[in-house]
């Protein structure tokens, strides 16, 4: 039976942090504290979620606040703050504060916080917009690096390197990311296909079996078509991999291997769009890891594919 806490300051019932822990809390690390809060906020409810939203809205102020001050500012209670810390994998509030302070300090010194979260105005010069995009993407890349489990990447690389067939599933923007991965794998001789149409994807997934691999891409992990295609592949015995921003999403729960990414939304680039670059970085890492494990075959295939298209390149010095 799940315990509940009633936050007397707001009268809202919230799931106890122990329930979050039982679903599989992210391992504690001094890096990526805010990324973990961002990724875990969707799993929280009521008062715990309000704490997460307040911390994310002003991390530097949260790092300076006492437990009582943070409780008052988030409209909760000190007990709720303690439960929130446990949900994020910290023993107490002091550890959470230190983690946030260290991360915001690194971000400030590296310039990642420049304009992040600020609304882009119609009159903003492109130089300001460019700086904001670079700052947001840099922060998302570093958050992804801190969240990513390299042991899971290793397992995915081994599975793909030994697979006779690799299917990649995704919809909309995730389909574009999947096509990039399919292109990269094909260049090193891995038989890979990318599917965005659910009918074609389901038909292809039905032909998979043990020894094959299926990769599903969805930032939210809730895209129904992608879940259906990966589930079909799973039912046929294929090894399943999920690339998502939410480690406890339906897609992640379905997969054998989960690769987690972070995102940093900006104006006109909500999470699903801002997640593309971190997704590509993780897939680039996975692609290189596969190439390392199939070095001779990959090197020969890459050389042959490069030679095959070489004749279509413009000769040096030719008129454009």
């Amino acid at each position: 039976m799940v315990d509940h806490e009633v936050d007397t300051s707001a009268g809202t019932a919230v799931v106890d942090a122990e329930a979050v822990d039982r679903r599989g809390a992210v391992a504690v690390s001094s890096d990526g504290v805010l990324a973990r809060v961002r990724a875990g906020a969707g799993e929280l409810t009521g008062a715990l979620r309000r704490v997460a939203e307040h911390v994310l809205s002003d991390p530097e102020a949260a790092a300076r606040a006492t437990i009582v001050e943070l409780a008052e500012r988030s409209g909760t209670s000190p007990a709720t703050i303690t439960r929130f810390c446990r949900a994020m994998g910290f023993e107490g509030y002091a550890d959470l504060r230190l983690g946030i302070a260290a991360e915001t300090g690194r971000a400030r010194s590296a310039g990642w916080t420049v304009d992040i979260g600020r609304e882009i105005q119609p009159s903003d010069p492109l130089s300001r917009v460019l700086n904001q995009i670079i700052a947001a993407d840099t922060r998302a890349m570093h958050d992804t690096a801190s969240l990513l489990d390299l042991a899971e990447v290793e397992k995915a690389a081994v599975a793909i390197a030994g697979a006779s067939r690799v299917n990649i599933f995704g919809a909309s923007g995730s389909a574009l990311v999947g096509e990039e991965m399919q292109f990269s794998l094909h260049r090193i001789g891995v038989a890979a296909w990318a599917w965005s149409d659910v009918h074609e994807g389901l038909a292809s997934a039905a032909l998979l079996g043990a020894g094959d691999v299926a990769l599903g891409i969805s930032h939210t992990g809730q895209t129904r078509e992608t879940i259906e295609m990966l589930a079909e592949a799973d039912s046929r015995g294929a090894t399943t991999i999920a690339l998502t921003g939410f480690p406890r999403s339906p897609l992640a729960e379905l997969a054998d291997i989960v690769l987690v990414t972070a995102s940093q939304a900006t104006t006109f680039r909500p999470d699903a769009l801002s997640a593309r670059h971190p997704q590509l970085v993780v897939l680039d890492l996975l692609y290189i890891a596969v190439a390392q494990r199939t070095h001779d075959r990959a090197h020969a295939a890459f050389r042959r594919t490069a030679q095959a298209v070489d004749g279509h390149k413009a000769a040096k010095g030719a008129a454009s």
Side-chain angles (χ1 to χ4, degrees), residues 152-194:
E152 291 287 277
V153 177
E154 177 83 26
K155 287 164 57 179
V158 170
I160 292 175
S164 56
R165 180 185 179 99
V166 177
N167 270 5
I168 303 169
F169 306 121
S172 191
S174 295
L176 299 177
V177 174
E179 288 173 4
E180 286 277 341
M181 184 59 169
Q182 185 267 341
F183 171 78
S184 296
L185 291 176
H186 249 184
R187 287 297 302 270
I188 59 172
V190 176
W193 287 263

Side-chain angles (χ1 to χ4, degrees), residues 97-185:
R97 283 182 66 188
L98 287 173
I100 296 174
E103 187 170 341
T104 55
R106 286 192 300 270
R108 186 168 54 253
S109 63
W112 304 340
T113 57
V114 175
D115 286 334
I116 292 180
R118 174 189 175 278
E119 287 292 316
I120 296 175
Q121 303 299 325
S123 59
D124 283 348
L126 289 181
S127 59
R128 182 189 292 274
V129 176
L130 175 61
N131 286 336
Q132 183 176 6
I133 291 173
I134 290 175
D137 282 356
T138 301
R139 181 58 181 269
M141 301 288 191
H142 282 268
D143 285 350
T144 295
S146 65
L147 285 173
L148 190 62
D149 186 341
L150 294 181
E152 291 287 277
V153 177
E154 177 83 26
K155 287 164 57 179
V158 170
I160 292 175
S164 56
R165 180 185 179 99
V166 177
N167 270 5
I168 303 169
F169 306 121
S172 191
S174 295
L176 299 177
V177 174
E179 288 173 4
E180 286 277 341
M181 184 59 169
Q182 185 267 341
F183 171 78
S184 296
L185 291 176

Side-chain angles (χ1 to χ4, degrees), residues 168-176 178 195-197 215-218 223 226 229:
I168 303 169
F169 306 121
S172 191
S174 295
L176 299 177
W195 305 100
S196 57
D197 180 89
L215 167 63
I217 304 172
S218 169
T223 304
T226 304
M229 291 185 283

Side-chain angles (χ1 to χ4, degrees), residues 13-276:
V14 298
V15 177
D16 189 285
E18 291 177 359
V20 178
D21 292 340
R22 286 194 293 270
R23 289 198 298 269
V26 180
V28 176
S29 168
S30 60
D31 294 329
V33 176
L34 297 177
R36 262 192 287 146
V37 173
R38 206 172 288 117
E43 297 293 317
L44 304 176
T45 57
L48 288 179
R49 182 155 189 166
R50 291 203 302 278
V51 176
E53 291 171 348
H54 184 78
V55 168
L56 292 173
S57 68
D58 194 346
E60 293 189 358
R64 293 191 300 267
T66 66
I67 189 171
V68 173
E69 290 170 340
L70 184 59
E72 291 176 348
R73 293 172 187 175
S74 59
T76 60
S77 67
T80 300
I81 303 299
T82 299
R83 290 176 181 272
F84 173 76
C85 294
R86 289 165 54 198
M88 294 298 105
F90 290 92
E91 291 185 3
Y93 183 56
D95 291 334
L96 177 67
R97 283 182 66 188
L98 287 173
I100 296 174
E103 187 170 341
T104 55
R106 286 192 300 270
R108 186 168 54 253
S109 63
W112 304 340
T113 57
V114 175
D115 286 334
I116 292 180
R118 174 189 175 278
E119 287 292 316
I120 296 175
Q121 303 299 325
S123 59
D124 283 348
L126 289 181
S127 59
R128 182 189 292 274
V129 176
L130 175 61
N131 286 336
Q132 183 176 6
I133 291 173
I134 290 175
D137 282 356
T138 301
R139 181 58 181 269
M141 301 288 191
H142 282 268
D143 285 350
T144 295
S146 65
L147 285 173
L148 190 62
D149 186 341
L150 294 181
E152 291 287 277
V153 177
E154 177 83 26
K155 287 164 57 179
V158 170
I160 292 175
S164 56
R165 180 185 179 99
V166 177
N167 270 5
I168 303 169
F169 306 121
S172 191
S174 295
L176 299 177
V177 174
E179 288 173 4
E180 286 277 341
M181 184 59 169
Q182 185 267 341
F183 171 78
S184 296
L185 291 176
H186 249 184
R187 287 297 302 270
I188 59 172
V190 176
W193 287 263
W195 305 100
S196 57
D197 180 89
V198 67
H199 293 271
E200 294 177 352
L202 285 171
S204 184
L207 299 177
L208 297 179
D212 295 325
V213 171
L215 167 63
I217 304 172
S218 169
H219 173 65
T220 63
Q222 297 186 31
T223 304
R224 186 172 62 186
E225 293 85 351
T226 304
I227 294 170
E228 289 178 359
M229 291 185 283
L230 199 69
E232 178 65 28
D234 180 66
S235 72
R236 302 297 174 174
T239 298
T240 53
I241 304 170
L243 179 67
T244 179
F246 295 86
R248 288 185 289 271
S249 62
L251 186 72
E253 294 288 350
L254 170 66
D256 300 312
I257 300 168
V258 180
L259 307 179
V260 181
T261 60
S263 63
Q264 184 69 57
T266 59
T267 308
F268 305 120
R269 292 201 316 162
D271 282 345
L273 290 178
S274 62
R276 287 178 302 175

